[in-house]
Amino acid sequence: MTAASQAPARRHDHDRDAPASGPSAPPAAQPRPGPSRLTGLWPYLLVAPTLVGTAYLLLYPLIRSVVISFQHFRTGELIRGGAEFVGLENYLEVLGGAEFWAVVRRTLLWTAVNVTLIMVISTAVALMITRLGRGMRLAVMGGLVLTWATPALAATTVFQWLFQSRLGVVNRLLTGLGLESFQDYTWFADGTSTFVILVALVVWQSVPFAALTLYAALTTIPAELYEAARIDGATGRQVFASVTFPILRPLFGLITSLEVIWVFKCFTQIWAISRGGPGEATTTLPVYAFQVAQSLHKYDLGSAISTLTVLILVVLLITHLRRMLRHEGEQP
Amino acid sequence: MTVSPSGSPSGSPTGRLPRRLRRVPLNLAALAVLAVSLFPVYWMVLTAFTPTRDIQARTLSFWPAHPTLEHFATAVRADGFWTFCRNSLTVTAGAVLLALLVALLAAFAVARMRWRGRKAFILMVFVAQMAPWEALLVPMFIIARDTGMLDRLSMLTLIYFMTTLPFTIVTLRGFLAAIPADLEEAALIDGCGRTAAFRRVVLPLLAPGLMSTSLFGFITAWNEFAFANALIIKNQDDRTLPVWLSSFGNVFGTDWGATMAAATLFMLPVLLIFLILQRRVTSGLIAGAVKG
């Protein structure tokens, strides 16, 4: 870090000297090519560690994975090596099966339901926090922070306990409310209810980050803008549509795409709760790839599914990527 | 919603009352959000302190009637608990610090400098967040095996560093971009060097950003399960807490009290760090707001 700031510092010293010594002073002009050439190199030196890390720990394994997806790679090849290339065989096998397409549809549904709920609830909660009194605001933010701080595996374990059939608090409360059909109801035996519980878990875990980030951004909007809108007689909804949302649009875009990525790739919670079951009710793409690779030892097919997963995610996010890049280009 | 005219003519003498009344639904909603966020965690901690006979009783209790530490004793006395704790802390702290350092350099280059390939770099970082980590288990296993890094905590540290790096860069860059470059330039004019300007002006303003990104990195690394499970095979003493936690089913069976106690203990370090850092994050935000 110290090295990183040295060259700009030197350039600055030079800048500061220049007006003092005047245009006639030759030493001021002399070092100019040196520092500017260094400045030209600095950004590359600064990103070098990132590039090296990404190349070795992400790109290389990813290439290995893609290579495996074109090979016959089962347990024998994993131990002995010497895998043979089989062309598109793995992809044809994956894409030819009806199961894969069912998993893709389920993953898209899973992502759409979760991300919609997360964004709507987070926006509502963030707007709510801005209107709360100091004490209540701190309490709600504290609650959100606590939820956010709950590690995924702990939260997953807790949700299993909440919905436990015989002793779980949810069934006991529902029974207490007179809904006798929930006596010893086994939530995790049914595909739909397992799916619903997983959605509840993921939304519960994801709202705090989105809501707190949105709230932080909301506080940066100048009050004058709201006052102006108020004087113009705008309703709350109109203020949101014409002031809040346009200003926060880039942040909404960023948070939505982050949530899409996280929800789409979500693995730990699903695996810990249902392993993709019951049946295939909660088998999303990452779970499917893991099942095929680890449980069936078909590493080649698993790699093919992973490659397709990445491609689908890229297609889903391509509009946002394009807009982001255009935005980058606009910056001075 | 609050935009509706507050100084309506009718309410001038008793103007406070309607406003307070109007706040009732808002505060009820806030209480609902609070309850939903807190209840699962409350229930976890409550169960951890409830004796087994009370857990299995037919009547529900929302208050610790007979608090006990038996479940914590069961969890802590379980094989290797402290070793796994230490492993998890080492790996997580190492990964977070490494990611912060590397990301700070990259974020500075992206937010403050113009260079060829910058757009491509940003795109790469964004795409890296989509990395299908679970899918890289097999190649990672092969790489670790071929470089003698299998069963090594340092391999896990490196992987967690890489899993948190893209997000750390994106967020730090956002925080850096939010700090006006004018501030640095003003410091430069006031006679600071670039290093001093960065350390004295940018770094304090960036502190909340560094804190919140490290929090995220900490949670991600502390939680990670798939790689810890797949890459630590022979040396069982090098396992991490999530792997141990996920084997509760085998360790404690249907002992929900012990399971919740273990989950509570697993959550504790994250919570502590959160509490310590959160104060700085908020104080940083407030300081930023006061300075305008």
Side-chain angles (χ1 to χ4, degrees), chain A residues 33-52:
Chain A
S36 70
R37 201 184 59 233
L38 268 179
T39 311
L41 257 180
W42 273 113
Y44 301 101
L45 288 174
L46 291 178
V47 298
T50 305
L51 291 177
V52 172

Side-chain angles (χ1 to χ4, degrees), chain B residues 10-285:
Chain B
S10 64
S12 47
T14 51
R16 291 191 156 272
L17 192 64
R19 188 178 297 169
R20 208 180 292 165
L21 276 179
R22 218 177 36 228
R23 278 186 170 250
V24 168
L26 183 71
N27 281 324
L28 283 178
L31 282 176
V33 170
L34 195 58
V36 171
S37 358
L38 291 183
F39 185 73
V41 179
Y42 175 72
W43 199 246
M44 167 178 87
V45 178
L46 183 71
T47 309
F49 282 108
T50 308
T52 307
R53 63 187 145 79
D54 284 10
I55 294 177
Q56 293 184 336
R58 262 299 166 193
T59 47
L60 271 183
S61 171
F62 291 90
W63 195 248
H66 318 97
T68 172
L69 290 173
E70 59 167 294
H71 302 305
F72 287 98
T74 314
V76 169
R77 270 194 232 114
D79 254 356
F81 173 77
W82 295 110
T83 318
F84 304 146
C85 260
R86 208 186 49 228
N87 291 344
S88 270
L89 275 177
T90 317
V91 170
T92 305
V96 168
L97 290 179
L98 197 57
L100 272 187
L101 183 66
V102 172
L104 189 60
L105 301 180
F108 191 82
V110 170
R112 287 285 195 265
M113 295 172 167
R114 314 297 306 171
W115 39 286
R116 274 173 66 96
R118 181 172 160 277
K119 259 168 103 171
F121 180 79
I122 294 168
L123 185 67
M124 181 207 88
V125 170
F126 192 79
V127 170
Q129 291 192 79
M130 293 185 235
W133 287 102
E134 277 78 22
L136 297 183
L137 274 173
V138 178
M140 281 293 191
F141 177 86
I142 297 171
I143 291 167
R145 189 190 58 188
D146 294 352
T147 53
M149 296 278 273
L150 207 59
D151 282 314
R152 293 267 187 89
L153 288 174
S154 47
M155 184 70 192
L156 283 185
T157 310
L158 281 177
I159 293 174
Y160 298 169
F161 150 69
M162 195 54 221
T163 50
T164 51
L165 183 64
F167 179 84
T168 315
I169 294 178
V170 169
T171 11
L172 279 186
R173 180 211 168 202
F175 278 106
L176 261 175
I179 300 170
D182 303 356
L183 283 181
E184 267 169 284
E185 274 151 33
L188 291 180
I189 291 165
D190 288 350
C192 283
R194 269 272 182 177
T195 328
F198 185 80
R199 206 183 55 233
R200 304 233 292 255
V201 178
V202 180
L203 216 50
L205 288 172
L206 198 59
L210 288 171
M211 303 286 174
S212 42
T213 38
S214 58
L215 272 179
F216 177 82
F218 191 94
I219 295 176
T220 314
W222 184 252
N223 256 316
E224 205 285 328
F225 161 70
F227 281 97
N229 194 38
L231 297 183
I232 308 288
I233 318 158
K234 282 185 218 132
N235 195 353
Q236 294 290 309
D237 278 349
D238 275 350
R239 281 190 296 171
T240 57
L241 274 180
V243 179
W244 176 78
L245 195 78
S246 73
S247 63
F248 280 158
N250 315 329
V251 181
F252 302 122
T254 51
D255 185 348
W256 283 102
T259 308
M260 289 303 121
T264 307
L265 290 174
F266 180 63
M267 182 177 171
L268 211 56
V270 182
L271 198 63
L272 283 179
I273 290 181
F274 230 114
L275 289 176
I276 297 167
L277 290 188
Q278 192 61 29
R279 208 165 6 156
R280 292 218 199 154
V281 173
T282 20
S283 68
L285 283 176

